Amino acid sequence: MCGIVGYVGQRQALPLLVEGLKRLEYRGYDSAGVAMMEQNRLSITKSAGRISVLEQQLDVDGSTATTGIAHTRWATHGAPTEINAHPHGDASHRIALVHNGIIENYTALKKYLQQKEVPFVSDTDTEVLAQLIGHLYRGNLEEAVREALRDVHGTFGIAVVCADEPGTIVAARRGSPLLIGVGQDEYLVASDASAILAHTSQVVYLSDNEMAVISADSLHTTTLDAVPVTKEIQEVEWTLDQIELAGHTHFMEKEIFEQPEALRNCMRGRVDLAEGKVHLGGFADVARELTRARRFIMTACGTAWHAGLVGEYLLEDLGRIPTEVEYASEFRYRNPVIEYGTVTVAISQSGETADTLAALGEARQRGALALGVVNVVGSSIARETDAGIYLHVGPEIGVASTKAFTGQVAVLAMIAAFVGRRKHLSQSATQEFLEALSQIPDRMEKALENNAKAKAIAEAYADRDNWLYLGRGYQYPVALEGALKLKEISYIHAEGLPAAEMKHGPIALISDGMPVVVIATQGLQYNKIISNIEEVRARGGRVIAIATEGDSQIANLASDVLYVPDTLEPLQPMLTVIPLQLIAYHAAIARGCNVDKPRNLAKSVTVE
Ligand code: F6R
């Protein structure tokens, strides 16, 4: 996720900013940059890759600048290159800006500025804002920023400097955190307290739609509409470690709890409830091919493959297109039949998984349209596709994939609605589906309230060496995902199954006290899954049910129940997976395992 740090005061700014950037490294980033006011001249230095690479290009100790802004970027619009890194400048080289968030209407703003002959150098939404501020600048930076933000739709936390006002930083926020650090004859600005905590623990938190203008000796806060606001100075009480984890004990826990926000970001600007439409900018050039597609093949590994399985059901349900899901490692070495009209979708968090990349290449070579559903912008898979949709769920640091799974399902749901609407789904049916999809983040928050109960269940059964996970229909991939989460971080053997398959062999495993997690939410196959629960109970298994809120009969059948809010059946996986992630997380802790770095596993599998 992107990070901002800025300084204005009496000290050399550059060493402070570089140190601040290093403090932000834990958030994940792919490029970085600084803008310094060197003797009334703006100097911008940026680089792709690590902060150490940027540092090599800077004269950190030699810089005399006492004002500057800096940024770590996690790419969303445009690949992680030096040109796309922040700070971005305007055409007159007077303005520099760093930005966290997404400017949703950047295409329209860019068109407007291009008509005014403003030249652009990067692919980013952020440069549009820098250019707009430059275009509107008439000798007052605060006014120009205010005016530009009036035209912006989307989210932002920004810090802006101007060569004509060398001792000033203008900061503003909407939907992306920003705080001002208060020092002795100096102020700092940051997206995250960890970046400035070494210098001050006194901070002012900006609220949405607020601005701050800081210089060495003044802090002036207003709303974006110029109404003065008096802000309270607060003391940061967290240590650096606590801040990095935002109060969580592990990145996996943090990422589980980030899911509602991650999904809001994933859907932002894409789900159009009023029109009953999905806007997928990445598919603009292939929309006709998608409408005419005769077959979809999803290819992926691990958790991403489970998301693909949900995608198969979604595309067949909503899009009425035959869809298959293939393990990338198998697909690449088979002799797959790729007929005319085949669309291949590679699903990958990292975008670097060797088998998925090779499977995509194989399908493409045989004539399939190659699409990507990827989290890391500019990654190898993203570069190899004909078109793609990014997850926008932010960096995933914990080895066990959590928010990427729900982000992948959300993107596949949007793709299914996108294709379905073009084929046979009515506007009202699409609207109903999108309405339910847009409510998922709030419902995830309710599902996360299961944390304490999930912990108690995990601790009660953490000593059992074999678990089963059962689901039907849309819950079958969730059963697989729940079992994978448990085995990879707690080293408990777990198997996920379509519940009806149990009778064809695995039922022999069920012995007295064996934990069997059954996803038994309301849906087409509810009665059948209840029969499966009876079968497990009859053999002494301990049923841990995941059920829909308001289900009054399930508590009589299961040993433990975790309730999730109701939603349309195709969207349930994004809610039912949450208690399973929580159970796995707490079971791993109960067994003393290293949750974020489980043994034998790497975050990105770049070899076969
Ligand atoms: C499980 C997990 C892995 C990945 C798999 C694919 O928690 O993280 O199963 O899902 O290695 O990785 P990506 O999505 O990066 O292609």
Side-chain angles (χ1 to χ4, degrees), residues 535-603:
E535 286 156 12
V536 172
R537 270 161 48 97
R539 285 152 186 89
R542 307 283 298 196
V543 174
I544 301 161
I546 312 301
T548 305
E549 267 170 12
D551 182 337
S552 51
Q553 69 159 323
I554 197 111
N556 301 325
L557 301 173
S559 308
D560 301 276
V561 186
L562 294 161
Y563 293 98
V564 295
D566 198 10
T567 185
L568 298 180
E569 197 170 352
L571 303 174
Q572 285 174 358
M574 288 179 277
L575 302 180
T576 49
V577 77
I578 287 179
L580 307 192
Q581 295 168 341
L582 291 168
I583 288 176
Y585 172 73
H586 291 297
I589 294 175
R591 289 168 70 103
C593 301
N594 184 341
V595 173
D596 282 334
K597 291 204 170 76
R599 71 184 180 205
N600 308 338
L601 288 175
K603 182 66 189 153

Side-chain angles (χ1 to χ4, degrees), residues 301-304 347-351 353 356 399-401 408 484-485 488 603 605:
C301 304
T303 288
I347 307 166
S348 175
Q349 188 286 128
S350 62
T353 302
T356 311
V399 164
S401 193
Q408 284 156 351
L484 177 62
K485 284 293 88 90
E488 69 180 322
K603 182 66 189 153
V605 185

Side-chain angles (χ1 to χ4, degrees), residues 197 201 235-248:
L197 207 55
S201 57
E235 178 80 22
V236 179
E237 281 166 5
W238 285 6
T239 63
L240 282 171
D241 283 354
Q242 284 172 318
I243 289 173
E244 289 181 359
L245 288 161
H248 294 284

